[in-house]
Amino acid sequence: MKFAVLKRFVQVVGVLKKHHILHLLFELNPSNGWIARAARRVMPRTNHTDILHEAHSLRMALEELGPIFIKLGQVLSTRPDVLPAPYIDELSHLQDRITPVPTADIRAIIEAELGESVDDIFSVFENDNVATASVAQVHRATVRTGAWSGREVAVKVLRPDIDDLIKTDIECMYVAARYFAKNHIDGKRLKPVEVVAQVERHLRQELDLQCESANASQLRHNMRNSTLISVPEVCWNYSAQRVMVMEWMTGVPVSHIETLRSMNVDFKRLARDGVEVFFTQVFRDGFFHADMHPGNVFIGTTGAQRGHYIALDCGIVGALSETDRYYLAINFLAFFNRDYQGVAQAHIESGWVPADTPLEALTSTVRTVCEPYFGRPISEISLGQVLMRLFDVSREFNVSVQPQLVLLQKTLLNVEGMGRVLDPDLDLWQTAKPFLERWMRDTLGIKGVMRQIKRELPFIARHLPQMPRGILKYVQNSAHSDKYLSRIQELEARLARQEQRFRWLCVYGFGMLLLFIFLLKIVFDWMV
């Protein structure tokens, strides 16, 4: 283990101890292992009088530990079924109100990246930040010259010295993943190293704002005809690896319920729209925003965007192949129709479980897990609990974890968290079912076939003129096949004769060697 990694592990324990929350690792941990039980017995327990203080201390500790721990807190802030309300309220501050970087440092980074002074690029640059995230912070500005002259923009800048800290944290994750893979009974099946590799890839993308700009541009293009969500336009002239300039979007975080209520926003419609946006990105485009915590999802307050979603911070996106999308859709639709055998069959056909898995046994287990949650409003469903049950099932049937689906699972949890806030009575399944049925018809029906032909048209056009020549060559080869066959048979006969000669040569050489040794022995005996 590298010294830097060991030092980081010690630092994490030290920070938790410094903020007097080391015991929370065990108190909030549902494990009944002897280590957890002993720790809960020895360490102090939380009471209602100091829970607010401990929630604040937890938030400060995660913030002090850096980006990866901040992201953990962001995920937990959308899970009221996992943590008590005071923790949820406190951790929600990690979504956009982290301790900011001094403006002087931000200006220095902008000037180093863009090669011009901030005052030459922007006619107005507000020193007070409007948002601080785990890896960057945002300032409001107005472009001075060029095609964007006079337009208000958001200037996103990476925090200084963030790269080295994330590199060390990733190495720590690899150490933990390799230990888990080697020592845990499910280590091989769960592919922890591959999962960490995917996390590393997305974190490295998040540290390159050029990559985030490209992601935002792609999402904007995909959703260009949608009235449900907007993605800010990127100003490419003033974007670099550590600086991103984009269209200013006016809105409030989706978690600001009272503000949205004062705007007379239709929460039920908003919740349904969120489900449709998610499934559209996943199944139609295979390219989805994978960091949808409330700090990155706003509701517009002006113009055509009023009352509709605004997607920000596209540093982490997910991508799915057509095969993954197809089998996911089959699984979802089978579940919506209570076709649990269809769910089991899709798992076997996709290779997510071993091919020799008993279909009936898997069907029965899937039915046992899923049936209690069917048709219930989201307020009565915990996808976290469902995933834990499915985790137990996966262990029983040796289901192989698909690293490409990890981000999808995380995003689905985010969507559920927002659904709880907006409309606790939302029926997630019935809302999504019509969309998936329409997608399957478009994909497997006449429209889907025509779209596939259109996609392959350049390949067809390039090879179609060569088809007569290929057919003629095939016919000629077929006509001369007898000639080639006789030639091959002749070569095989010659090779057989050569092998026979070689065997006789080996026998002759071995006999001569034995005769030489025998004569040598006779001469040696005579001389003695």
Side-chain angles (χ1 to χ4, degrees):
M1 183 185 298
K2 293 183 179 179
F3 176 75
V5 174
L6 180 60
K7 180 180 178 182
R8 180 59 170 163
F9 278 125
V10 173
Q11 182 184 9
V12 170
V13 174
V15 169
L16 297 179
K17 184 177 180 181
K18 166 187 168 183
H19 290 277
H20 307 290
I21 57 170
L22 186 59
H23 63 283
L24 290 180
L25 286 178
F26 304 98
E27 186 172 332
L28 298 177
N29 181 5
S31 171
N32 286 322
W34 69 270
I35 295 179
R37 293 200 308 270
R40 284 195 288 266
R41 185 181 299 274
V42 172
M43 293 184 176
R45 298 184 63 83
T46 303
N47 55 57
H48 292 291
T49 60
D50 60 7
I51 191 171
L52 294 176
H53 174 73
E54 285 196 339
H56 176 75
S57 298
L58 176 61
R59 192 256 293 184
M60 296 302 294
L62 294 177
E63 183 175 337
E64 183 176 341
L65 287 171
I68 291 181
F69 292 88
I70 290 172
K71 289 191 174 299
L72 173 62
Q74 290 172 347
V75 172
L76 291 175
S77 71
T78 65
R79 305 302 303 169
D81 55 320
V82 175
L83 292 177
Y87 291 96
I88 298 299
D89 294 339
E90 189 65 38
L91 292 180
S92 65
H93 290 277
L94 294 174
Q95 293 165 3
D96 59 0
R97 295 191 293 277
I98 298 169
T99 303
V101 176
T103 305
D105 295 342
I106 294 297
R107 283 175 167 264
I109 294 173
I110 294 174
E111 294 174 354
E113 288 289 308
L114 302 183
E116 299 181 55
S117 72
V118 171
D119 294 331
D120 289 340
I121 300 173
F122 306 109
S123 58
V124 176
F125 185 87
E126 296 184 3
N127 290 329
D128 293 334
N129 67 82
V130 294
T132 51
S134 55
V135 299
Q137 70 183 46
V138 180
H139 291 255
R140 190 172 184 173
T142 303
V143 178
R144 181 179 292 278
T145 60
W148 282 58
S149 177
R151 291 185 64 176
E152 281 193 311
V153 294
V155 183
K156 184 174 183 178
V157 185
L158 286 184
R159 301 169 75 94
D161 304 323
I162 199 70
D163 308 72
D164 293 338
L165 181 58
I166 285 187
K167 180 180 178 181
T168 301
D169 280 345
I170 289 175
E171 290 180 353
C172 292
M173 292 171 66
Y174 271 118
V175 170
R178 284 191 287 266
Y179 178 84
F180 184 89
K182 182 179 180 180
N183 297 282
H184 198 278
I185 189 173
D186 291 322
K188 182 177 181 181
R189 178 179 61 82
L190 296 179
K191 301 179 181 177
V193 176
E194 289 85 347
V195 171
V196 172
Q198 188 177 55
V199 172
E200 177 186 16
R201 182 166 63 254
H202 288 291
L203 280 172
R204 293 197 182 283
Q205 289 179 356
E206 202 171 6
L207 292 176
D208 184 351
L209 294 185
Q210 284 277 53
C211 182
E212 179 177 340
S213 299
N215 293 340
S217 183
Q218 181 67 58
L219 283 173
R220 178 181 172 84
H221 173 76
N222 291 346
M223 307 302 294
R224 63 191 181 280
N225 296 322
S226 174
T227 59
L228 306 182
I229 189 170
S230 300
V231 182
E233 181 183 1
V234 176
C235 178
W236 287 104
N237 292 338
Y238 296 119
S239 292
Q241 182 175 356
R242 304 184 70 83
V243 177
M244 176 183 179
V245 177
M246 70 197 105
E247 173 187 7
W248 178 263
M249 309 291 274
T250 303
V252 297
V254 69
S255 57
H256 290 190
I257 298 300
E258 293 304 321
T259 302
L260 297 178
R261 187 171 287 117
S262 68
M263 294 169 50
N264 296 319
V265 170
D266 186 344
F267 288 99
K268 293 184 179 296
R269 176 193 59 79
L270 202 60
R272 292 193 303 270
D273 289 350
V275 174
E276 182 173 345
V277 167
F278 170 73
F279 281 94
T280 298
Q281 291 182 355
V282 170
F283 289 100
R284 188 195 69 183
D285 305 326
F287 188 82
F288 59 94
H289 194 304
D291 198 16
M292 296 180 64
H293 63 76
N296 290 340
V297 182
F298 277 40
I299 305 300
T301 55
T302 60
Q305 297 165 355
R306 180 182 174 86
H308 298 290
Y309 288 104
I310 298 174
L312 303 174
D313 194 350
C314 302
I316 299 179
V317 296
L320 297 175
S321 67
E322 289 190 9
T323 301
D324 285 331
R325 281 182 275 166
Y326 171 76
Y327 280 114
L328 276 172
I330 291 294
N331 273 278
F332 274 117
L333 285 174
F335 172 74
F336 295 154
N337 294 317
R338 296 188 177 183
D339 179 12
Y340 300 119
Q341 182 171 335
V343 175
Q345 187 69 46
H347 271 68
I348 295 173
E349 291 178 355
S350 64
W352 295 346
V353 297
D356 59 353
T357 300
L359 179 61
E360 292 303 323
L362 183 58
T363 300
S364 176
T365 303
V366 171
R367 182 186 299 111
T368 301
V369 172
C370 298
E371 185 66 21
Y373 301 99
F374 191 89
R376 294 164 63 182
I378 200 168
S379 60
E380 300 178 8
I381 300 174
S382 169
L383 286 180
Q385 293 179 2
V386 175
L387 290 176
M388 288 301 295
R389 293 288 305 276
L390 290 175
F391 182 82
D392 293 336
V393 171
S394 67
R395 181 184 295 111
E396 178 183 351
F397 288 95
N398 198 29
V399 176
S400 179
V401 167
Q402 306 298 311
Q404 74 274 19
L405 302 182
V406 171
L407 276 179
L408 180 66
Q409 295 170 348
K410 168 184 175 293
T411 307
L412 187 58
L413 290 175
N414 290 143
V415 171
E416 183 211 11
M418 287 193 298
R420 288 177 183 277
V421 173
L422 294 173
D423 181 15
D425 296 325
L426 173 70
D427 189 331
L428 185 64
W429 320 123
Q430 290 303 316
T431 304
K433 181 179 178 181
F435 172 83
L436 280 177
E437 290 177 336
R438 185 170 64 251
W439 180 83
M440 288 293 287
R441 288 196 302 268
D442 292 343
T443 302
L444 302 180
I446 298 297
K447 290 183 180 179
V449 173
M450 296 302 297
R451 188 163 50 248
Q452 186 69 20
I453 293 175
K454 182 179 179 181
R455 186 182 306 156
E456 298 294 335
L457 199 58
F459 177 84
I460 297 173
R462 183 163 61 91
H463 289 85
L464 188 61
Q466 303 173 11
M467 188 175 295
R469 181 181 299 179
I471 295 174
L472 180 60
K473 186 175 182 180
Y474 174 79
V475 172
Q476 290 174 341
N477 290 339
S478 299
H480 294 86
S481 60
D482 293 340
K483 176 182 176 182
Y484 294 141
L485 181 60
S486 62
R487 179 62 176 166
I488 291 173
Q489 290 174 344
E490 180 183 344
L491 291 174
E492 288 178 344
R494 181 180 299 178
L495 180 61
R497 290 194 297 271
Q498 293 292 340
E499 290 178 347
Q500 184 71 17
R501 291 174 184 173
F502 179 73
R503 286 195 294 269
W504 278 111
L505 182 61
C506 289
V507 172
Y508 176 78
F510 184 68
M512 293 300 294
L513 179 62
L514 290 178
L515 179 60
F516 175 76
I517 293 173
F518 178 72
L519 292 175
L520 188 64
K521 183 177 185 301
I522 292 175
V523 172
F524 179 76
D525 291 342
W526 178 76
M527 291 179 64
V528 173

